[in-house]
């Protein structure tokens, strides 16, 4: 099993080494500040993996139809787009748009004047919180507001949410009411910024969902016509576009933990590499559903992170707490899944013995 993750572990050590060097030099040799920076990088990488578990599952379902040559290319060439495109360039673009800066100016500030960069990002925090929180909350709600969903982890809550899915756009109404409620706690200027950003986050989510639906429809049409769409360059490009769409939540969620571009890039890059390795592992193992409730835990973590981002426009919430909540939810859902598998195994053994 470890052979699937060898390169990811090597990549992690390199990124942590770069993070330690950056933290040490930028803090003037402060060991505590360096350790705190490394902790955030680790939490970001864990969060990226947990938020992207569904990404790995979908990737695996597509990748298994491609030959081994293109599987390797997805793991190598594709990582350049996933890491440097979505995890480095995209966060800079978010900051540039939110702060009204040019891309070169934003990059120079992030590298040469991190204190000023932090001040600019902090001044745009209300907009980033509204946009990112709305997008993440919708990602999580969409998973649970589903009439066809039959796997429930926190059953007393998830069953009710699935029933509410019979009401068209119920999750959108819930998000809009939440945005309005939080906006009443802000100053008028900030409230307007928060509401506009939140609505744009909602629109972005709908657009990403639309892109995914179009890609899925085209792939299904090609399969019905007998075309092999995922064995060469076309499948490679298709998979990377799909992967980029799924990675949006992790990129946005990173701002709940850090506004530092280098920290975000290092943490998310580690996570992206492990998601790639996890995808290959799932394909080679031939199973996508070994842990029954893990996906539920990942989407609860997304909802919690989204709500924390929304409420961070009103009050500061420590980044460590944010990361730990997500890790705890993932850990509990994994443990619950293992318990479920053991009970099923014992039941089958008892049935055989009887």
């Amino acid at each position: 099993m470890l052979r699937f993750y060898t390169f990811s572990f090597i990549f992690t050590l390199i990124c942590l080494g770069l993070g330690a060097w950056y933290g040490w030099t930028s803090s003037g040799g402060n060991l505590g500040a360096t350790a705190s920076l490394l902790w955030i990088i680790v939490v970001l990488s864990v969060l990226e993996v947990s938020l992207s578990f569904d990404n790995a599952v979908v990737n695996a379902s597509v990748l298994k139809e491609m030959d081994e040559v293109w599987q390797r290319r997805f793991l190598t060439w594709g990582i350049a787009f996933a890491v440097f495109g979505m995890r480095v360039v995209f966060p800079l673009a978010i900051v540039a748009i939110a702060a009204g800066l040019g891309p070169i100016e934003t990059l120079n500030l992030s590298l040469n004047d991190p204190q000023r960069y932090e001040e600019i990002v902090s001044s745009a925090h209300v907009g980033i919180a509204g946009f990112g929180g709305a997008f993440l909350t919708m990602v999580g709600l969409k998973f649970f507001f589903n009439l066809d969903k039959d796997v429930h982890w926190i059953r007393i809550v998830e069953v009710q949410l699935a029933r509410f899915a019979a009401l068209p756009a119920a999750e959108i109404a819930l998000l809009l009411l939440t945005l309005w409620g939080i906006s009443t706690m802000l100053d008028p200027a900030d409230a307007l910024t928060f509401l506009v950003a939140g609505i744009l986050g909602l629109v972005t989510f709908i657009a990403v969902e639309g892109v995914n639906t179009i890609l899925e429809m085209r792939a299904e049409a090609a399969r019905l016509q007998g075309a092999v769409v995922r064995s060469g360059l076309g499948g490679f490009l298709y998979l990377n576009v799909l992967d980029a769409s799924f990675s949006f939540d992790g990129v946005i969620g990173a701002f709940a933990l850090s506004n530092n571009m280098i920290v975000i890039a290092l943490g998310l890059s580690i996570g992206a590499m492990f998601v790639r390795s996890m995808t290959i592992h799932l394909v080679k193992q031939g199973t996508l559903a070994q842990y029954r409730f893990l996906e539920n835990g990942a989407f609860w973590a997304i909802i919690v992170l989204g709500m924390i981002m929304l409420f961070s426009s009103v009050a500061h919430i420590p980044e460590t707490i944010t990361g730990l909540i997500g890790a705890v939810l993932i850990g509990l859902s994994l443990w619950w899944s293992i318990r479920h598998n053991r009970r099923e195994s014992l039941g089958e053994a008892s049935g055989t013995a009887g």
Side-chain angles (χ1 to χ4, degrees), residues 91-103 106:
L92 278 175
I94 291 176
V95 174
I97 293 171
L101 298 173
T106 304

Side-chain angles (χ1 to χ4, degrees), residues 144 149 151-164 293 296 300 336:
F144 293 107
K149 185 175 179 297
V151 176
H152 304 296
W153 175 39
I154 308 177
R155 192 170 187 82
I156 191 172
V157 178
E158 294 180 20
V159 169
Q160 297 302 320
L161 293 179
R163 288 176 180 171
F164 272 107
F293 305 116
N296 296 54
W300 276 118
W336 221 267

Side-chain angles (χ1 to χ4, degrees), residues 52-254:
S52 299
F53 176 75
D54 55 332
N55 186 2
V57 172
V58 174
N59 283 351
S61 67
V62 175
L63 198 64
K64 67 182 181 181
E65 301 177 17
M66 298 170 64
D67 57 43
E68 290 190 7
V69 173
W70 282 100
Q71 287 180 3
R72 288 195 298 271
R73 289 173 180 173
F74 172 70
L75 188 61
T76 54
W77 300 355
I79 200 66
F81 179 77
V83 171
F84 297 106
M86 290 302 295
R87 274 76 177 185
V88 177
V89 177
F90 189 62
L92 278 175
I94 291 176
V95 174
I97 293 171
L101 298 173
I104 302 300
E105 187 179 1
T106 304
L107 180 62
N108 287 334
L109 279 174
S110 66
L111 295 176
N112 303 318
D113 192 357
Q115 183 174 358
R116 174 59 180 158
Y117 178 80
E118 174 71 22
E119 291 174 357
I120 293 175
V121 174
S122 298
S123 67
H125 177 72
V126 171
I128 293 174
F131 184 90
F135 184 90
L136 282 176
T137 303
M138 278 301 300
V139 169
L141 291 178
K142 187 69 175 180
F143 176 78
F144 293 107
F145 279 76
N146 182 359
L147 286 173
D148 298 325
K149 185 175 179 297
D150 56 3
V151 176
H152 304 296
W153 175 39
I154 308 177
R155 192 170 187 82
I156 191 172
V157 178
E158 294 180 20
V159 169
Q160 297 302 320
L161 293 179
R163 288 176 180 171
F164 272 107
L167 299 174
E171 65 274 21
I172 295 177
L174 180 60
L175 174 64
L176 290 175
L177 285 173
T178 302
L179 290 173
W180 171 78
I182 295 175
S183 71
T184 61
M185 307 177 195
L186 299 169
D187 294 333
D190 285 342
L192 178 60
T193 300
F194 178 80
L195 284 173
V196 171
I199 292 172
L200 288 176
L202 172 60
V203 171
T204 301
F205 170 81
I206 295 172
V208 170
E209 283 288 299
V211 170
N212 286 336
T213 301
I214 292 171
L215 290 173
E216 290 172 2
M217 290 173 62
R218 289 183 176 179
E220 182 63 26
R223 280 196 297 269
L224 292 175
Q225 295 172 6
V228 181
V229 296
R230 296 192 179 109
S231 61
L233 179 60
F236 174 81
L237 294 175
Y238 165 84
L239 196 55
N240 277 285
V241 171
L242 192 63
D243 183 58
S245 299
F246 272 107
S247 68
F248 192 85
D249 52 358
V251 173
I252 292 295

